[in-house]
Amino acid sequence: MSIKIRNYYLTRIIYTILFLIFTTFYWYFNLKDINYQTANNLNNIKTISFNNLKQVSDSLAKDLTPLKVNIKNEEERREIKIFIVPTTTKISNNYIKYQINDEDIHSLNLDGMIYLDNLNPNEERNLTLKLWISENYQGYVKYSGNIVII
């Protein structure tokens, strides 16, 4: 291989690595800010606490007692976001499962957001939320947290 071709590939690899590093840092710090803001700026935020999620299979999750979440918008049209913010042991989000209104089962994403919708003035939503730990998780299974509605 000639020196020009080798240098060309080497510079492309270096640019790609630098791009991945910088975008990862940017992505990480933006998500970290969302979780920090969600957990610590509770003035205009509604929270619902939960304790000790059970470790069950997805097929048995239908038997779990759901948490009831009532959202009412008394202001002008606004965006509603619901997050899961842990308060105890950090279990990787992909092992935390949830189901809203008996629809599809999902794993918690990296920023913890489980619901996003727009509500008109005086509109109300009643949600049922089931949370559990995946049966595939190996480790300490105590998990508590807050459902945070922004």
Side-chain angles (χ1 to χ4, degrees):
M1 180 180 332
S2 74
I3 292 177
K4 281 186 173 184
I5 293 175
R6 186 180 59 118
N7 287 342
Y8 173 79
Y9 286 124
L10 188 59
T11 57
R12 297 297 174 227
I13 291 171
I14 290 171
Y15 286 145
T16 303
I17 291 171
L18 287 174
F19 175 76
L20 291 173
I21 289 171
F22 287 120
T23 56
T24 302
F25 277 118
Y26 176 78
W27 172 75
Y28 172 76
F29 286 112
N30 280 339
L31 291 181
K32 183 178 177 187
D33 289 343
I34 289 172
N35 283 330
Y36 177 77
Q37 178 185 27
T38 301
N40 294 312
N41 184 15
L42 300 177
N43 295 335
N44 300 322
I45 296 174
K46 179 180 176 184
T47 62
I48 301 169
S49 295
F50 59 88
N51 291 313
N52 298 331
L53 294 183
K54 294 181 180 178
Q55 185 174 17
V56 297
S57 68
D58 291 353
S59 61
L60 295 177
K62 66 180 183 266
D63 298 330
L64 293 174
T65 304
L67 297 165
K68 297 190 185 306
V69 180
N70 183 14
I71 306 167
K72 184 170 184 179
N73 182 20
E74 297 174 354
E75 303 170 3
E76 58 192 41
R77 181 176 171 87
R78 69 178 211 165
E79 183 176 77
I80 301 294
K81 296 179 183 177
I82 300 177
F83 292 88
I84 301 297
V85 180
T87 56
T88 60
T89 306
K90 289 275 191 178
I91 296 176
S92 176
N93 282 359
N94 59 329
Y95 290 111
I96 305 300
K97 302 282 193 143
Y98 69 94
Q99 185 178 33
I100 297 176
N101 292 340
D102 293 325
E103 293 179 2
D104 294 335
I105 294 173
H106 302 281
S107 293
L108 197 59
N109 58 19
L110 290 175
D111 66 356
M113 186 165 65
I114 62 169
Y115 186 78
L116 173 65
D117 202 358
N118 290 309
L119 291 181
N120 294 318
N122 299 316
E123 188 175 358
E124 187 173 349
R125 295 276 162 81
N126 294 309
L127 305 173
T128 58
L129 173 65
K130 294 179 183 177
L131 289 167
W132 67 95
I133 300 170
S134 171
E135 68 181 342
N136 299 328
Y137 179 69
Q138 302 294 319
Y140 187 64
V141 211
K142 185 169 179 153
Y143 188 90
S144 299
N146 292 310
I147 301 168
V148 181
I149 304 167
I150 299 176

